[in-house]
Amino acid sequence: MTMFPFLKDNITALEKASPALYDWLSHSQFDEQSLKTAVFVNRWGNIDWRIPGGPGLFEAMPPGLLYRDWPNMDKPDLSASIIIGCNVGYGLNHLLVKSPDSHKILVIEPNAELLLACLGQTDYRPFFANKKLHFLAPNEEHLNEYIRHLDLQYVYGKIYLRGDIPSRQLGPEYARWTETVKNRLENFSVEMVTLRCRQDVMVGNELKNFRRAQADGSLLPLKDAARGVGAVVLGAGPSLERFAPELAANPGYALYASALQTLPALRRLDLKPHFCLALDYDGSMLSVYNRLDEEWASDIPLIYSTKVNPEVVRRYPGPTLPLWTQGGLGTFAMQDHEFVLDAGGNVSLTLVRLLRWMGASSILLAGQDFAWKGGSTHAMGHHAAGREVAFDPAMHQRLKNLWGEEIISSVQYLTSKRDLENDIKKAPFRIANLYGGGVVIEGAPAVDLGQARSEGLLACAPGSRERFLNALGQARGTAKAMRFEPRSHIWTSSFRGLEKRMQKLFRQCGQSQDEIHTLLEQALFFVRQDPLYLPYLFNETIDLAGLAKTRRSYHPADLSEFKRIGKNILAKVREVDRCVGGLDDTNAA
């Protein structure tokens, strides 16, 4: 194929560099003859791609003007670019040659034929080899995996989203993927801010909750225990005031679940859930006890994320069960021992995911407004109710609900709604929304209470709810205790050795630049190698990676920074050992 001189070599290299993309291309349908005719030399003398039934992508304007500004970036050596649409390579190639080798470039091309045309024009093997260039399969899971590895670029540089304008002439999929990546980057930003600012708190809570969680039990017996159960997830939106009294008077045979923070509002409305969930990690959760009727709540089981403040769990008057969630000890240390949930950032989303894992047959959302009218953001009884919220155009949006009324939502609400909508797409059962005037939730049809009853959304298969509640009660005390060997003595010895070698190198800092960089890389490798300690060392790992991977040269002040990081690391390692290491042998697995 004379128009595609580099195709074979690039495809061969991609089999190793990007197996997911190679697999996607292997299973894509395309016509070799149409591929040959689509690539042509246009009137400007440039290789071009013919739009079906029309001109070439670059007939109207030569590519040089379109991509001239792409390399103009802050901190390009510490940053990354994500390109949506590669055409035959013009924008991509311009960015490749005009950016430093350390600049990461991710490319999503949803058109398999056009991707093959691009791979045929340029030898990308050197850029695969130095890990500068990554072609991604048009798959959200593949995208998420790559974005998760852009933490250094987020902290020390920027992540640039480049939507290829000429490619949009080919169809709406390019705009859709640009929006998908934009949304994912927004979520990633929230995750990174949370991790950077709150990871120490969240994992610190996990460590303090560890022995309590071991004693409380395990959710593992609840896998598929809710088969045949119709569930209702109760939120604290303003519409809860409208529906809760009717549900309390005639609850049907559904299983009701809510957030812990919603219990005071539900008590006021006389609607009692079968269990509740605590997810938020900060101390503000304790304010729920200022309004909670503890006697009323004493028989409502609490499923608590192990990342919540331990005092929230200690003060709860009813039975408690732990939920291990991703992002801390759950991801690295508990994955092979317990059910570990990707909880998301919103308690209603967590409940939907948990109920799906439990095998529920349907879910009805109630009080899930993700918006408000006037100043009423929550149902009365919730800790956020009664606060006047002034409209802030930087944080809020004015929208119309299904009834044509103006409502207000926030960036946080809309992000949570989008996450819920993405989850609904994966649900193998029906999810509906008991609509009370909030935003529309795509994938969850709006229903009124009469429809919900007539369509069986408040019903369960005979005996299924009772079987589930019995399994929930029996899950307490079922966890197998685990014992982790303390390893702080190994860490202390290793870091003291690294520090002594580093001090010696910094005495001749100017002549030891390469050796300092090598030693920092070794220290970073050492810190990353132990999954038990890694979650608690997130900030120290990022700081150490900043020294190892973002410095062009080293100065004496960097030694002080290395010592500071090392001191924090050893203090945290000793804390992990105190909390999860050295349990009595009688409690060992």
Side-chain angles (χ1 to χ4, degrees):
M1 300 176 77
T2 56
M3 290 291 286
F4 307 93
F6 301 106
L7 182 58
K8 182 178 179 181
D9 289 338
N10 280 329
I11 290 291
T12 301
L14 277 171
E15 185 174 7
K16 181 180 179 181
S18 182
L21 178 74
Y22 181 87
D23 183 65
W24 176 73
L25 279 174
S26 300
H27 290 87
S28 297
Q29 300 294 321
F30 60 90
D31 180 65
E32 185 173 322
Q33 187 57 41
S34 66
L35 179 60
K36 290 179 181 179
T37 57
V39 176
F40 72 104
V41 177
N42 67 19
R43 65 192 179 97
W44 305 101
N46 296 320
I47 293 176
D48 204 342
W49 177 269
R50 194 179 303 281
I51 301 170
L57 291 176
F58 299 98
E59 291 272 28
M61 181 184 296
L65 295 173
L66 292 166
Y67 306 110
R68 180 177 54 196
D69 295 332
W70 276 21
N72 297 336
M73 298 176 282
D74 293 331
K75 302 178 182 178
D77 55 327
L78 304 178
S79 298
S81 293
I82 303 178
I83 299 174
I84 311 300
C86 61
N87 57 74
V88 288
Y90 288 115
L92 169 60
N93 293 354
H94 185 59
L95 193 56
L96 279 171
V97 300
K98 293 292 185 179
S99 61
D101 285 346
S102 59
H103 185 83
K104 299 291 183 188
I105 300 176
L106 279 56
V107 181
I108 296 177
E109 174 49 69
N111 184 323
E113 289 186 355
L114 188 48
L115 178 56
L116 291 173
C118 176
L119 293 171
Q121 309 308 313
T122 307
D123 185 359
Y124 292 119
R125 288 175 297 171
F127 302 105
F128 297 152
N130 69 5
K131 301 188 186 305
K132 176 182 175 72
L133 174 61
H134 305 268
F135 282 97
L136 276 57
N139 173 288
E140 289 194 35
E141 290 185 7
H142 196 212
L143 169 69
N144 291 343
E145 184 63 29
Y146 270 85
I147 286 180
R148 273 197 290 267
H149 288 91
L150 295 179
D151 49 0
L152 289 181
Q153 285 76 15
Y154 177 84
V155 173
Y156 295 106
K158 292 185 178 180
I159 302 173
Y160 293 88
L161 177 58
R162 309 289 191 184
D164 187 61
I165 300 300
S167 295
R168 293 199 177 195
Q169 300 172 79
L170 297 171
E173 61 270 25
Y174 293 91
R176 284 200 300 267
W177 268 106
T178 301
E179 186 67 17
T180 296
V181 175
K182 176 178 174 288
N183 292 339
R184 182 64 192 95
L185 288 175
E186 287 177 357
N187 287 2
F188 180 64
S189 175
V190 172
E191 291 165 11
M192 285 300 298
V193 169
T194 300
L195 287 172
R196 197 72 168 135
C197 299
R198 303 298 183 186
Q199 181 77 344
D200 286 356
V201 175
M202 292 189 292
V203 181
N205 286 345
E206 279 190 311
L207 294 171
K208 293 169 186 151
N209 281 322
F210 185 82
R211 298 196 185 193
R212 166 76 186 245
Q214 295 273 289
D216 270 352
S218 169
L219 291 180
L220 279 175
L222 297 179
K223 171 69 173 171
D224 293 328
R227 284 181 177 171
V229 171
V232 179
V233 175
L234 298 165
S239 69
L240 183 69
E241 299 265 2
R242 173 182 175 185
F243 294 118
E246 296 180 65
L247 290 170
N250 185 7
Y253 294 96
L255 176 78
Y256 287 80
S258 76
L260 169 62
Q261 303 98 301
T262 309
L263 290 187
L266 293 173
R267 176 68 180 101
R268 175 178 160 273
L269 297 166
D270 204 26
L271 179 59
K272 193 167 192 175
H274 295 97
F275 72 89
C276 65
L277 176 73
L279 180 67
D280 295 345
Y281 54 85
D282 60 28
S284 66
M285 283 279 288
L286 288 167
S287 65
V288 73
Y289 293 113
N290 297 333
R291 300 174 308 283
L292 183 65
D293 182 335
E294 296 194 9
E295 182 179 354
W296 176 80
S298 62
D299 61 348
I300 302 174
L302 168 69
I303 297 176
Y304 63 92
S305 163
T306 50
K307 293 183 177 69
V308 304
N309 188 310
E311 189 68 7
V312 171
V313 184
R314 189 192 69 78
R315 289 182 59 181
Y316 189 71
T320 55
L321 268 171
L323 169 65
W324 293 94
T325 58
Q326 289 185 8
L329 291 179
T331 301
F332 297 97
M334 305 301 294
Q335 199 81 50
D336 296 331
H337 306 281
E338 284 289 345
F339 166 58
V340 179
L341 180 68
D342 179 0
N346 173 272
V347 68
S348 294
L349 173 61
T350 307
L351 281 168
V352 168
R353 290 179 176 177
L354 183 61
L355 287 164
R356 189 174 79 202
W357 176 80
M358 290 173 169
S361 62
S362 68
I363 293 177
L364 178 65
L365 305 172
Q368 307 291 345
D369 299 318
F370 295 106
W372 66 91
K373 290 183 288 187
S376 179
T377 61
H378 291 77
M380 292 303 297
H382 189 273
H383 68 273
R387 299 177 186 172
E388 284 296 323
V389 179
F391 182 83
D392 181 351
M395 298 177 60
H396 301 144
Q397 292 184 32
R398 298 187 191 275
L399 306 168
K400 294 287 186 181
N401 66 14
L402 280 180
W403 305 329
E405 299 170 332
E406 183 179 273
I407 55 176
I408 299 172
S409 189
S410 67
V411 173
Q412 183 181 6
Y413 273 176
L414 294 176
T415 299
S416 297
K417 180 185 84 85
R418 186 170 62 235
D419 290 344
L420 179 59
E421 288 170 340
N422 289 336
D423 226 60
I424 289 172
K425 295 174 186 175
K426 306 171 189 174
F429 50 76
R430 186 179 182 198
I431 298 180
N433 180 23
L434 191 56
Y435 188 72
V439 296
V440 173
I441 301 174
E442 298 295 335
V447 297
D448 59 29
L449 200 49
Q451 287 175 292
R453 294 190 193 282
S454 64
E455 295 174 16
L457 292 166
L458 295 176
C460 293
S464 60
R465 188 178 71 178
E466 288 70 23
R467 283 192 297 271
F468 172 80
L469 292 174
N470 184 53
L472 181 64
Q474 292 181 353
R476 299 198 70 230
T478 58
K480 293 182 179 179
M482 285 169 288
R483 182 176 183 269
F484 295 99
E485 290 292 337
R487 294 193 280 275
S488 57
H489 60 289
I490 299 173
W491 281 73
T492 300
S493 174
S494 297
F495 250 89
R496 293 288 180 254
L498 284 167
E499 191 173 299
K500 287 179 181 178
R501 289 161 60 194
M502 195 69 78
Q503 285 176 323
K504 189 177 294 185
L505 290 172
F506 268 96
R507 290 192 191 111
Q508 295 181 311
C509 185
Q511 294 79 34
S512 305
Q513 293 290 303
D514 290 343
E515 291 89 345
I516 291 171
H517 178 259
T518 299
L519 193 57
L520 286 169
E521 288 281 7
Q522 291 173 358
L524 182 61
F525 178 81
F526 176 78
V527 171
R528 286 173 166 170
Q529 49 81 38
D530 197 321
L532 176 62
Y533 301 93
L534 190 57
Y536 205 22
L537 300 177
F538 175 83
N539 280 312
E540 288 70 24
T541 304
I542 290 289
D543 292 342
L544 190 55
L547 280 179
K549 297 186 179 297
T550 69
R551 293 286 200 276
R552 298 179 183 87
S553 60
Y554 296 99
H555 306 281
D558 294 323
L559 176 60
S560 299
E561 175 68 358
F562 177 76
K563 287 181 176 180
R564 180 195 68 79
I565 295 169
K567 182 180 179 181
N568 288 350
I569 286 172
L570 294 180
K572 286 186 172 183
V573 167
R574 286 191 285 269
E575 185 178 352
V576 172
D577 280 357
R578 281 196 301 271
C579 292
V580 308
L583 297 179
D584 295 338
D585 288 340
T586 54
N587 291 330

